[in-house]
Amino acid sequence: MPAYRAVVFDFFGTLTRAVQRGPQHAEIARSLGADPDAVTGVLDRTFRARARGRYGSAEATLRWVIEQAGGRPREAQVRAGVPARVNALRADTRLRADAVTVLTALRRRGLATAVVSDCTHELPAFLPQLPVAPLLDAAIYSVRLGVCKPDPAIYLAACDELDLLPSECLYIGDGGSNELTGAAAVGMTPVRLAAPDLIHHLVYDADTNFAGHTVRSLTEVITLIDHSHLHPTPMPTP
């Protein structure tokens, strides 16, 4: 039997290939009367606050971002901008070629699967339409929970949904948001995905000090499960 009963995945950069903002984001900024570079600057420096839902609904958040960038959008423009942002984020998102195959293989082995993502309002709007959605037993979104990784609450929320202990969960992530050390801190076994394309990934707060297990592809996770001799990653000495 596998040593683990569930595999918990990060989403962006883990179940997906590296993410960069595409041209639709600049078009949205211009349509709302703001300079695209100014909007990009606001988006970058406020990601964690937006991912915690600090600025309210999707419409309220978009309005706030545009106003911070010098725009004064009308209500109708903001309403149109929200689905445009969902479409833009979805266009930026390409599932890894082996994502569906790996999730299917895990479930066939009797393991539960989950996603834990630091994300803004857009991901909950489009993830349910992706091919991976039916293969996930739980999806934890920071924007709905109100906390980001590495806060213990976001990992424990996944455990609660799965009705499992953290020690029964393998955690797979590219290392953004200090997610790997955060997973280890609650008792999960973290594994870094170090796929070659991630050199181009848009990442915040990279987990640069992580020295635990590493795989180069999602498919290697199946090998880890089938030959599981993994042990919890020790936390660094303060």
Side-chain angles (χ1 to χ4, degrees):
M1 293 293 291
Y4 301 97
R5 297 179 61 192
V7 183
V8 179
F9 293 89
D10 169 51
F11 183 72
F12 294 110
T14 300
L15 288 180
T16 79
R17 292 183 56 79
V19 174
Q20 289 288 339
R21 291 193 187 100
Q24 292 185 34
H25 295 276
E27 296 169 9
I28 293 167
R30 284 190 286 267
S31 73
L32 293 169
D35 175 70
D37 290 338
V39 171
T40 295
V42 175
L43 291 174
D44 284 344
R45 67 177 175 265
T46 66
F47 171 73
R48 291 183 67 80
R50 291 182 296 108
R52 294 194 302 269
R54 176 176 173 181
Y55 305 113
S57 67
E59 287 188 9
T61 300
L62 180 58
R63 183 185 307 107
W64 183 88
V65 167
I66 297 301
E67 288 175 350
Q68 292 298 304
R72 293 293 178 266
R74 298 187 301 274
E75 290 300 316
Q77 291 176 303
V78 174
R79 285 196 299 272
V82 168
R85 261 193 64 82
V86 173
N87 290 337
L89 265 290
R90 184 166 184 171
D92 296 341
T93 302
R94 294 174 299 153
L95 291 175
R96 293 195 178 277
D98 53 354
V100 168
T101 301
V102 167
L103 289 171
T104 301
L106 291 171
R107 291 169 67 88
R108 284 176 178 166
R109 285 161 171 78
L111 279 79
T113 59
V115 156
V116 172
S117 180
D118 280 358
C119 64
T120 49
H121 294 283
E122 293 76 23
L123 182 59
F126 72 79
L127 188 146
Q129 284 77 54
L130 298 181
V132 295
L135 302 171
L136 295 169
D137 297 294
I140 307 300
Y141 305 111
S142 64
V143 71
R144 291 185 174 174
L145 193 63
V147 298
C148 290
K149 302 175 227 177
D151 190 303
I154 199 165
Y155 305 98
L156 297 177
C159 293
D160 288 344
E161 287 284 326
L162 299 173
D163 195 23
L164 294 173
L165 297 172
S167 60
E168 297 175 300
C169 300
L170 197 64
Y171 182 90
I172 313 295
D174 64 278
S177 301
N178 293 300
E179 63 184 343
L180 301 170
T181 50
V186 300
M188 293 181 171
T189 300
V191 174
R192 182 194 293 276
L193 175 67
D197 62 284
L198 290 172
I199 192 172
H200 303 297
H201 186 46
L202 177 64
V203 64
Y204 300 94
D205 301 318
D207 217 333
T208 54
N209 294 323
F210 179 74
H213 309 285
T214 297
V215 294
R216 299 277 289 176
S217 71
L218 290 179
T219 300
E220 288 183 36
V221 174
I222 301 300
T223 303
L224 284 182
I225 290 293
D226 288 347
H227 305 89
S228 185
H229 301 292
L230 292 176
H231 301 286
T233 301
M235 294 298 294
T237 302

